[in-house]
Amino acid sequence: MQTELSKKLGVEYAVFGFTPFPAVAAAITRAGGFGVLGAVRYTAPDDLARDLDWMQEHTGGLPYGLDVVMPAKKVEGVGEAEVEAMIPAGHRQFVADTLAKYGVPELAEGEASGWRITGWMEQVARGQLDVAFDYPIKLLANALGSPPADVVQRAHDNGVLVAALAGSARHARHHADAGIDVVVAQGYEAGGHTGEIASMVLVPEVVDAVGPLPVLAAGGIGSGEQIAAGLALGAQGVWLGSLWLTTTEADLHSRALTRKLLAAGSADTVRSRALTGKPARQLRTEWTDAWDDPSGPGTLPMPLQGLLVAEAVSRIQKYEVEPLLGTPVGQIVGRMASERSVQEVFDDLTRGFERAIDRINRIAGRETR
């Protein structure tokens, strides 16, 4: 399960694991993959530095990366307070009415929302990078298109490869023109922000569009057989995110949410703007249904929607209001039926990969092991 890209980065398996949890990212790296820590939840640089210190201590000198959310274009002079002021009163009332309908308690007096999407704002992401480049990260991924040109240059000056997610061949060509080193072809099946094209169609289109740049296949991948399929389509590795949510190292802070993930089938997700304002695949809940209902006010564009629902999501998560409780997750959730360690997941992936290669060799009339 090695490719030119995995060898370049010094990892045993061409499995890139995105996760918001440092313990999961470190375990992915220790298991022979490439752990990528999501930075969007870090609103304070000191918090990110603390967790990168922890990553350093628990990866044994093996490589890992960081994922940020940074737009290629910015609006000068606009901060969080100015953005908050753009949220219509009617939308705030809709949130309040929906929470009241389900009896969601208020946060304690003086308790701040534990979930903010200020990480979508460029000034926050730049603060994260000021911290990140003090650490030996090997890859900087951007989940919102190509990062600004000066960020790409800064990464390259630090010997860091830059990856960007693409939902179409057109997006991928734009990344190549922007000097991106690795394109993540993320199909419609993936958790979080996705485009309209399924992985089986998207991956070879992107490979053809940007070759010889390395491409990672993402979306709907959760077995070794699917990894083999991604490599057969021309990818130099796979980018897995949802699969790690039910690992024992993940820290969801909610047994109720873990139970929902373990019980969900592949048809129990929806691509909704309810969380961030952009289409993002997540568990379908009565919260997503409320926002997608034509009789409601509709969602706001990014980053307004994320700021609008931040406190509500914190309340739903804290009090585990199950009808409303959800998370970004891909259609692969149907395979996530048990809690396993990251190492157990890797063992399963490698066994499945070997089965797939043996199967193809038998079809081709080649001798197998």
Side-chain angles (χ1 to χ4, degrees):
M1 210 187 293
Q2 279 199 330
T3 65
E4 182 179 345
L5 178 61
S6 66
K7 292 175 183 176
K8 181 176 183 178
L9 287 169
V11 296
E12 185 176 0
Y13 304 119
V15 175
F16 294 72
F18 164 79
T19 173
F21 307 118
V24 176
I28 290 168
T29 287
R30 292 196 307 270
F34 189 95
V36 181
L37 178 64
V40 72
R41 294 175 183 266
Y42 295 95
T43 57
D46 288 348
D47 292 340
L48 178 59
R50 177 202 65 217
D51 282 356
L52 288 177
D53 283 338
W54 190 93
M55 289 280 293
Q56 280 292 103
E57 295 171 6
H58 292 83
T59 49
L62 296 170
Y64 62 90
L66 191 74
D67 178 279
V68 299
V69 178
M70 177 176 284
K73 298 179 181 179
K74 64 179 179 179
V75 179
E76 297 286 354
V78 178
E80 184 179 347
E82 290 84 359
V83 174
E84 288 262 17
M86 301 176 189
I87 297 174
H91 281 72
R92 293 190 185 278
Q93 188 61 52
F94 180 76
V95 170
D97 292 345
T98 304
L99 295 177
K101 176 182 176 182
Y102 290 91
V104 182
E106 298 276 356
L107 295 176
E109 186 175 352
E111 182 180 358
S113 167
W115 186 89
R116 299 289 284 170
I117 301 217
T118 53
W120 302 112
M121 304 180 72
E122 185 186 359
Q123 65 268 33
V124 176
R126 284 187 177 274
Q128 294 166 348
L129 294 180
D130 289 340
V131 172
F133 288 129
D134 287 336
Y135 292 83
I137 61 171
K138 299 300 183 184
L139 179 76
L140 176 68
N142 190 48
L144 201 63
S146 303
D150 68 294
V151 172
V152 176
Q153 186 60 55
R154 186 178 177 189
H156 289 166
D157 289 344
N158 282 274
V160 176
L161 298 181
V162 181
L165 276 65
S168 70
R170 178 176 62 84
H171 291 156
R173 283 190 289 267
H174 176 75
H175 294 336
D177 292 342
I180 300 303
D181 304 292
V182 180
V183 177
V184 181
Q186 178 162 284
Y188 174 83
E189 307 95 324
H193 297 118
T194 68
E196 304 278 356
I197 305 171
S199 299
M200 185 63 74
V201 174
L202 178 66
V203 172
E205 285 187 353
V206 171
V207 169
D208 290 344
V210 301
L213 280 185
V215 173
L216 300 177
I221 299 172
S223 72
E225 288 87 350
Q226 290 169 310
I227 294 174
L231 299 187
L233 293 173
Q236 288 200 30
V238 293
W239 178 274
L240 309 182
S242 298
L243 191 64
W244 316 111
L245 288 173
T246 53
T247 57
T248 53
E249 293 90 345
D251 188 12
L252 287 177
H253 297 295
S254 172
R255 292 304 303 171
L257 180 54
T258 299
R259 288 195 300 271
K260 290 188 75 170
L261 288 169
L262 294 173
S266 57
D268 293 327
T269 69
V270 64
R271 194 165 163 268
S272 171
R273 298 177 184 266
L275 189 61
T276 68
K278 279 184 171 290
R281 187 170 297 284
Q282 53 203 279
L283 277 182
R284 182 176 180 177
T285 66
E286 293 183 33
W287 177 255
T288 62
D289 286 349
W291 281 105
D292 295 338
D293 191 326
S295 66
T299 56
L300 298 171
M302 181 186 280
L304 299 181
Q305 182 71 14
L307 292 170
L308 168 65
V309 304
E311 181 180 318
V313 171
S314 285
R315 289 164 60 185
I316 292 165
Q317 291 177 344
K318 177 178 179 178
Y319 299 110
E320 296 192 324
V321 184
E322 293 206 30
L324 306 180
L325 188 61
T327 186
V329 69
Q331 291 179 335
I332 199 64
V333 70
R335 293 184 65 97
M336 296 157 49
S338 63
E339 290 183 84
R340 300 176 292 168
S341 69
V342 168
Q343 185 61 62
E344 287 173 321
V345 171
F346 260 88
D347 291 343
D348 185 58
L349 293 176
T350 54
R351 285 193 296 266
F353 183 82
E354 290 170 354
R355 286 194 299 269
I357 298 303
D358 287 346
R359 185 180 303 124
I360 295 300
N361 281 333
R362 286 195 298 272
I363 292 171
R366 301 188 184 99
E367 184 178 347
T368 61
R369 286 175 295 174

